[in-house]
Amino acid sequence: MEKTIIDNRVLTGEELIRLVQKEKGNICISIIVPTHKLSPERRVDRLQVEKAVMEAKKYLSYNYGKEEIKPLQQSIDELFGQVDFNHNSEGIGLYVSANIKELVQFHFPVREKVIINRSFEIRDLLYQAYYSLPYYTLLLTEKEARLFGGRLNSLSEIKDNDFPKIYVDDYEYARPSRGSSSVGNAFVREFEREKSQLEEIRFQHFSEAVDDGLKHYLTNHNIPLIIAGAKKDLSYFKMVNHHNKNIISELPGNYSHITTTELGKMTFELLRSFMDQSKQQLITDFEEKIGQGRGITGVPEIWKAAKEGNALKLLVEKDFSRPGFLTEKNEYNLHSQSPLKPHQVLADAINDLMEIVLEKNGQVILLENGTLQAHQRIGLITRY
């Protein structure tokens, strides 16, 4: 997810998720509304967000004391005033509590939700956090190499002692003197061939220098790198570079004149495709773990394992939710139907389940709807 600012500190998506988890027990307001990128469609966005804001404020007024909700309503209004409706993404999230006031742009379709509870609605934050993996984009041209740091569709150019790296072609030669036409033409052809070979060698040396500069950023094989440029330049770079394991995709073409914003949109699509492939591998791994006794399906069974601290990776379809019920003094057994004994009602037991996994240092991955249909829409890879 995009970087956000709280108390003048820049937070990544993962840090924001950890922060909202700490608010559990306070009044937590989650307002999530779909928006539109195109001008004709986004005219209604302001009205839709304003309607959701009014719904949240009305609920607060009916259910809580005036003094308790006054700062919360003020924070909601301040966030609404910060929304730039001229540059929408695919969704907007307003997250407000006593200690948090955050506006998030979502880069994937969302469903409208207005949820006021004792914890935040975190599934959209988790879904986007998966794609907010930091990455680098290397743009190669005949004149220079530029490096960008990226999160989602936002790129920021790196300018230091290593980048941008300028390619200097200081090859000098004397024009061939006039002689007979046959000798002169042969000389020119040989000269041009040698000049082309020398230029190729020089660009390979340049590519080696670029590759050497990357070692300060690609400190391990898990940092994704996208390379963009003419096919010839990409070919030279791949011949000499030592970071093939980092390269997740290529963007062939001349991009020397496009804006950083345009480049960011294209590279993010490549990153998203790469991350989607990783999701498919997670499903395969989970199905293998079932055969090994370390894969669990079924919400009650997964709930019990999570409470016991045995949740390594929880896989959940993005919009899967269901209520649950807990009897007194037995928080390990989740009931799918209301029991006769005194009990607690969980409006969305799946959201509570995700929070439990995260609190116990497990991982939660939101998958596309339908991808876990054969496993009741949810699965758990256990620690042991």
Side-chain angles (χ1 to χ4, degrees):
M1 108 192 21
E2 292 182 358
K3 292 182 179 179
T4 54
I5 298 178
I6 296 181
D7 297 334
N8 297 321
R9 293 187 297 112
V10 177
L11 299 178
T12 64
E14 295 80 3
E15 290 171 332
L16 178 57
I17 289 172
R18 287 195 292 270
L19 198 66
V20 299
Q21 282 186 273
K22 293 179 180 179
E23 287 299 283
K24 192 170 185 178
N26 294 327
I27 301 175
C28 298
I29 305 158
S30 308
I31 303 172
I32 300 159
V33 183
T35 54
H36 304 85
K37 295 181 180 180
L38 301 179
S39 180
E41 296 176 317
R42 67 182 181 223
R43 293 172 185 167
V44 301
D45 290 345
R46 177 181 288 273
L47 294 176
Q48 290 299 109
V49 176
E50 188 173 18
K51 179 182 175 182
V53 163
M54 293 301 296
E55 181 182 339
K57 292 168 68 176
K58 185 183 295 185
Y59 183 92
L60 288 170
S61 298
Y62 286 160
N63 292 277
Y64 300 95
K66 185 176 181 180
E67 292 303 315
E68 186 179 19
I69 66 171
K70 184 177 179 180
L72 300 176
Q73 291 179 325
Q74 183 178 344
S75 293
I76 293 173
D77 290 336
E78 290 175 0
L79 286 183
F80 178 75
Q82 294 174 18
V83 179
D84 182 1
F85 289 101
N86 293 319
H87 299 89
N88 289 336
S89 188
E90 297 194 63
I92 289 176
L94 284 69
Y95 296 87
V96 171
S97 67
N99 302 302
I100 289 179
K101 181 177 65 177
E102 279 306 304
L103 174 65
V104 177
Q105 279 202 349
F106 291 112
H107 298 272
F108 59 91
V110 297
R111 293 184 178 182
E112 182 169 337
K113 306 170 193 172
V114 178
I115 299 174
I116 300 174
N117 209 328
R118 290 296 176 178
S119 63
F120 282 107
E121 164 65 27
I122 63 172
R123 68 181 66 221
D124 293 303
L125 294 175
L126 282 169
Y127 186 86
Q128 182 148 288
Y130 179 82
Y131 293 99
S132 67
L133 182 72
Y135 67 99
Y136 290 102
T137 296
L138 177 67
L139 178 58
L140 296 168
T141 70
E142 292 182 350
K143 297 181 178 180
E144 62 181 353
R146 300 167 65 190
L147 185 65
F148 300 83
R151 272 189 185 272
L152 297 172
N153 65 352
S154 178
L155 294 182
S156 178
E157 184 167 6
I158 294 171
K159 295 184 178 182
D160 56 17
N161 293 332
D162 294 304
F163 293 97
K165 196 173 291 294
I166 308 300
Y167 174 61
V168 180
D169 184 6
D170 56 1
Y171 182 83
E172 296 181 0
Y173 63 97
R175 190 178 293 275
S177 59
R178 289 184 178 275
S180 67
S181 59
S182 60
V183 175
N185 289 336
F187 180 80
V188 169
R189 284 196 298 270
E190 178 63 20
F191 176 82
E192 292 297 335
R193 186 180 69 84
E194 291 179 357
K195 179 175 181 291
S196 176
Q197 290 176 342
L198 185 57
E199 287 176 341
E200 180 177 328
I201 292 171
R202 289 176 59 78
F203 197 82
Q204 287 182 1
H205 289 166
F206 173 69
S207 297
E208 290 173 353
V210 171
D211 181 65
D212 186 65
L214 286 173
K215 68 184 181 183
H216 301 296
Y217 307 95
L218 306 180
T219 53
N220 63 65
H221 296 324
N222 296 322
I223 302 175
L225 173 66
I226 297 171
I227 56 176
K231 288 185 178 180
K232 179 186 70 173
D233 298 336
L234 296 182
S235 177
Y236 285 146
F237 176 74
K238 288 190 295 181
M239 286 171 56
V240 302
N241 95 92
H242 295 84
H243 301 96
N244 278 320
K245 291 184 178 180
N246 296 90
I247 299 175
I248 62 167
S249 190
E250 300 175 20
L251 194 60
N254 183 1
Y255 302 103
S256 57
H257 301 295
I258 69 170
T259 66
T260 302
T261 299
E262 292 171 325
L263 182 63
K265 291 178 181 178
M266 289 187 285
T267 55
F268 177 51
E269 289 305 313
L270 296 176
L271 178 75
R272 181 167 7 202
S273 177
F274 170 76
M275 297 300 290
D276 284 341
Q277 293 174 19
S278 300
K279 282 187 176 181
Q280 188 56 51
Q281 184 59 48
L282 280 171
I283 297 174
T284 301
D285 292 344
F286 164 65
E287 292 174 338
E288 290 177 354
K289 290 293 189 294
I290 293 176
Q292 300 170 10
R294 288 187 52 206
I296 299 177
T297 59
V299 174
E301 293 79 9
I302 293 175
W303 178 280
K304 187 173 186 296
K307 292 294 291 185
E308 292 172 346
N310 192 19
L312 180 64
K313 293 182 181 180
L314 178 67
L315 312 182
V316 188
E317 289 190 9
K318 178 176 174 291
D319 294 316
F320 176 50
S321 64
R322 56 175 283 184
F325 306 89
L326 293 174
T327 56
E328 293 181 1
K329 299 180 181 179
N330 192 350
E331 59 182 18
Y332 286 80
N333 292 333
L334 181 73
H335 299 268
S336 57
Q337 296 182 344
S338 178
L340 297 177
K341 298 178 180 180
H343 58 270
Q344 174 189 358
V345 179
L346 306 180
D348 183 0
I350 307 304
N351 196 74
D352 290 85
L353 176 58
M354 291 189 291
E355 290 181 349
I356 293 169
V357 173
L358 292 172
E359 287 168 2
K360 295 182 180 293
N361 298 316
Q363 187 178 2
V364 178
I365 301 98
L366 277 295
L367 305 179
E368 307 309 313
N369 295 328
T371 54
L372 288 174
Q373 198 67 44
H375 305 290
Q376 304 176 55
R377 305 188 69 183
I378 189 169
L380 177 69
I381 297 176
T382 62
R383 298 183 187 275
Y384 48 85

